[in-house]
Amino acid sequence: MPEAEWLTGDALGWQGPWGTTYPANLRLLFSQMDEKSWLARARQPMRPPMPSPSLRAMSDADLRAIYRYVKSLAPKGPMAPAYVPPGGKVATPYFDFTPKNLPAVAAGK
């Protein structure tokens, strides 16, 4: 994919016990967010497919570099579809990441 198309999100959902989420259009999201807000947001838990454990492990300098790179790209593309809670009707294609065949202990029973 050419760099001009990077970080524009996707309408292909990720479904699991958390509901159905979508890769965010970071170019649009960052166009509405200042650097301080990004640093705070990157430290918060996020649903998949955002790599929140990786973001939380990064230094502020690394997170600032990500923010500045994304901001250097022009806003482009549509917003990703909205989050759908567990059991909600999903109108888009999605991958199912629901764990299957878990032993009773792993399933919390």
Side-chain angles (χ1 to χ4, degrees), residues 69-99:
Y69 172 73
V70 175
K71 285 287 279 194
S72 76
L73 304 171
K76 182 177 185 170
M79 291 297 284
Y83 164 71
V84 179
K89 183 170 173 46
V90 179
T92 65
Y94 61 90
F95 287 112
D96 183 356
F97 291 94
T98 305

Side-chain angles (χ1 to χ4, degrees), residues 1 18 20 23 30 35-36 42 44 47 50 52 57 61 64 69 72-73 82 84-85 90 93 98 102 106 108:
M1 174 181 298
W18 61 85
T20 304
F30 281 30
E35 189 173 281
K36 183 178 177 182
Q44 300 298 314
R47 296 179 192 104
M50 286 300 288
S52 60
R64 282 188 186 96
Y69 172 73
S72 76
L73 304 171
V84 179
V90 179
T98 305
L102 293 176

Side-chain angles (χ1 to χ4, degrees), residues 39-65:
L39 289 173
R41 180 68 185 111
R43 301 287 184 219
Q44 300 298 314
M46 294 178 235
R47 296 179 192 104
M50 286 300 288
S52 60
S54 297
L55 290 173
R56 287 194 309 268
M58 289 182 181
S59 70
D60 284 355
D62 286 341
L63 292 172
R64 282 188 186 96

